[in-house]
Amino acid sequence: MARLVITGNGPLRGEVRIAGAKNAALPVLAAGLLSAEPLQVSNVPGVRDIDTAIRLLELLGCVVKRQDDSVHIDSSGVNNVRAPYELVKTMRGAVLLLGPLLARFGEADVSLPGGCAIGERPVNEHIEGLRAMGAEITIDSGYIKARASRLKGCRYAFDIPSVTGTENLLMAATLAEGDTELENAAMEPEVADLARLLNGMGARIQGAGTSIIRIRGVEALHGTRHAVPPDRIETGTFLAATAATRGKVTLRNTDPSFLLHVLTKMQAAGVRLTWGDDWIEVDSENTRCRAMNVSTAPYPAFPTDLQAQFMALNALADGVATVVENIFENRFMHVAELRRMGADIELQGNTAIVRGRERLQGAPVMATDLRASACLVIAALAADGDTTIDRIYHLDRGYAGIDDKLARLGGIIRRV
């Protein structure tokens, strides 16, 4: 099993290009099932979850061609509506096949999802929303089995603003009969991007990116071209890594508007930041940032997917910070590993109290989920000595060549 060996050696410096967003690319690829005409997608990140998504599409009968960061999907020959456990167990985003399959083909058998063990992430919102649109759904032998001759438009209010739930119902509603209104919808940039793609395919969607989305169903969608937006979580990860190592890095091919809350918080902690339309410069040379309180919440607040990375930054910051996790109840598994590296962190329920230290110490540690693995990489870059990180397959699920990118910025990091 692959692992990373990282030697802490001082500041990161240089430029890095941010990849396309995995969490935006997955629903976009699933949307390729909504039309018999081809979909051409660019800026697709080369991560393991994308590999899994492509394998699932091919298993359903799609012809998928991939070259560099472009993916071409032809779903005219789909002959299977079953997404098997063997693939779905490795990637929670596979549940996004449910809405498109049901909307276009009238049936779908999708295994209950897997992914990172960071807490309970029920699919009841997906199921209840599709039932409100007229689908008959049962859970049988670990599979969601859905049937509908044609979905009907409806008004559905989410109990909580689920991102994948919003995306699934949004895709399903594009081919439903009549109008659909989604209330308390997720407002993340990935949802707005999916709507942009669907409108480019001929859908009629208004309000994506707000809490109320309205969709007027159409008879059919057509093919189009679409570019995946930059990954705001990879962006935030490099922001934290640069500040933790007291470096100076320019991030290219990004979108600062996706992370204004995070950028403002970092500036308040003493990190020097400048940015333009598609770049951010982080200048933390000779500067130990101040501790920053973090409380995760749905967009546009602080993202749960950056909580672990900023926990590592706070472990090296000047002062005491509280980190409150409001989204997932089991997303503090990285704390025990950071403690192995000398971090001073006290857990009280869903709150971590972090007392910053000047340096951490290298140690053998284990990645427990995708973002926890990035947290440990950041801590290792700023630690004295060597750190070995096991189970880095989590890292490869969501970061495209992060070890190579960090090496080009001066990090001493190797995969063994």
Side-chain angles (χ1 to χ4, degrees):
M1 185 178 294
R3 62 189 64 180
L4 289 179
V5 178
I6 300 174
T7 303
N9 70 312
L12 298 177
R13 293 190 180 94
E15 291 190 356
V16 63
R17 184 182 186 277
I18 299 302
K22 173 191 76 106
N23 289 341
L26 290 174
V28 164
L29 295 181
L33 291 166
L34 288 166
S35 173
E37 297 181 14
L39 173 63
Q40 182 76 32
V41 187
S42 60
N43 202 36
V44 179
V47 298
R48 187 169 295 178
D49 275 6
I50 296 297
D51 297 338
T52 302
I54 289 174
R55 288 173 62 196
L56 277 165
L57 290 172
E58 290 175 332
L59 189 64
L60 298 175
C62 296
V63 176
V64 183
K65 297 178 181 178
R66 187 175 186 180
Q67 183 175 8
D68 299 326
D69 69 348
S70 292
V71 176
H72 180 277
I73 302 170
D74 181 351
S75 67
S76 59
V78 168
N79 54 14
N80 176 27
V81 296
R82 184 178 177 86
Y85 171 72
E86 289 73 24
L87 289 179
V88 175
K89 70 180 180 180
T90 67
M91 184 189 72
R92 184 170 184 82
V95 74
L96 290 165
L97 300 177
L98 183 63
L101 284 173
L102 185 60
R104 182 172 161 212
F105 301 101
E107 56 181 337
D109 293 347
V110 178
S111 172
L112 289 167
C116 289
I118 58 175
E120 186 68 22
R121 294 188 283 181
V123 295
N124 60 296
E125 296 273 25
H126 305 245
I127 293 171
E128 293 306 317
L130 291 172
R131 280 177 174 159
M133 298 170 74
E136 295 182 2
I137 300 179
T138 59
I139 307 296
D140 184 14
S141 302
Y143 279 77
I144 305 168
K145 297 188 175 182
R147 303 291 183 268
S149 55
R150 187 183 181 189
L151 296 171
K152 310 290 185 183
C154 73
R155 184 177 181 182
Y156 183 77
F158 291 92
D159 289 336
I160 57 172
S162 162
V163 175
T164 53
T166 299
E167 291 167 342
N168 234 338
L169 298 191
L170 180 60
M171 288 188 282
T174 60
L175 295 178
E177 180 182 346
D179 295 345
T180 298
E181 182 173 287
L182 302 178
E183 299 179 3
N184 197 28
M187 298 188 290
E188 272 73 0
E190 295 80 11
V191 174
D193 179 70
L194 176 62
R196 181 168 64 89
L197 162 73
L198 295 171
N199 281 337
M201 297 173 69
R204 302 175 67 181
I205 301 168
Q206 294 181 331
T210 74
S211 62
I212 298 177
I213 305 176
R214 296 180 176 89
I215 310 104
R216 175 154 292 179
V218 297
E219 290 292 331
L221 299 177
H222 55 73
T224 191
R225 294 176 178 268
H226 185 77
V228 174
D231 194 326
R232 61 193 175 101
I233 305 304
E234 184 183 29
T235 299
T237 299
F238 276 97
L239 290 174
T242 304
T245 63
R246 307 184 194 183
K248 183 177 181 180
V249 174
T250 300
L251 284 60
R252 303 288 184 189
N253 189 47
T254 188
D255 190 334
S257 69
F258 292 168
L259 284 169
L260 291 179
H261 180 86
V262 174
L263 294 174
T264 302
K265 186 170 285 290
M266 292 187 75
Q267 285 182 316
V271 179
R272 296 182 294 276
L273 297 170
T274 54
W275 61 81
D277 290 341
D278 61 356
W279 59 273
I280 304 171
E281 183 183 83
V282 194
D283 182 0
S284 286
E285 287 191 311
N286 304 313
T287 302
R288 183 186 181 196
C289 78
R290 296 187 292 274
M292 62 187 85
N293 295 332
V294 168
S295 181
T296 66
Y299 187 86
F302 197 95
T304 181
D305 279 352
L306 285 177
Q307 176 258 107
Q309 298 91 313
F310 277 73
M311 180 89 74
L313 178 56
N314 271 320
L316 291 152
D318 182 13
V320 180
T322 58
V323 178
V324 183
E325 176 54 59
N326 295 305
I327 307 299
F328 296 118
E329 74 279 4
N330 199 27
R331 207 166 200 176
F332 279 154
M333 290 188 288
H334 47 278
V335 168
E337 304 304 304
L338 287 174
R339 285 172 174 161
R340 288 177 54 79
M341 301 178 69
D344 185 351
I345 304 172
E346 177 187 351
L347 289 182
Q348 297 180 1
N350 69 330
T351 300
I353 300 170
V354 189
R355 299 173 179 87
R357 296 205 160 156
E358 184 74 26
R359 297 288 291 180
L360 299 178
Q361 295 84 45
V365 293
M366 180 179 67
T368 53
D369 60 73
L370 170 55
R371 306 308 173 184
S373 60
C375 154
L376 297 176
V377 169
I378 293 169
L381 290 166
D384 292 326
D386 291 346
T387 298
T388 301
I389 306 175
D390 279 319
R391 295 175 65 180
I392 61 167
Y393 59 84
H394 288 295
L395 191 72
D396 295 333
R397 285 187 47 236
Y399 290 94
I402 191 171
D403 44 341
D404 291 335
K405 290 181 177 181
L406 289 168
R408 288 194 291 271
L409 294 174
I412 300 177
I413 179 170
R414 59 191 176 93
R415 185 175 293 242
V416 297

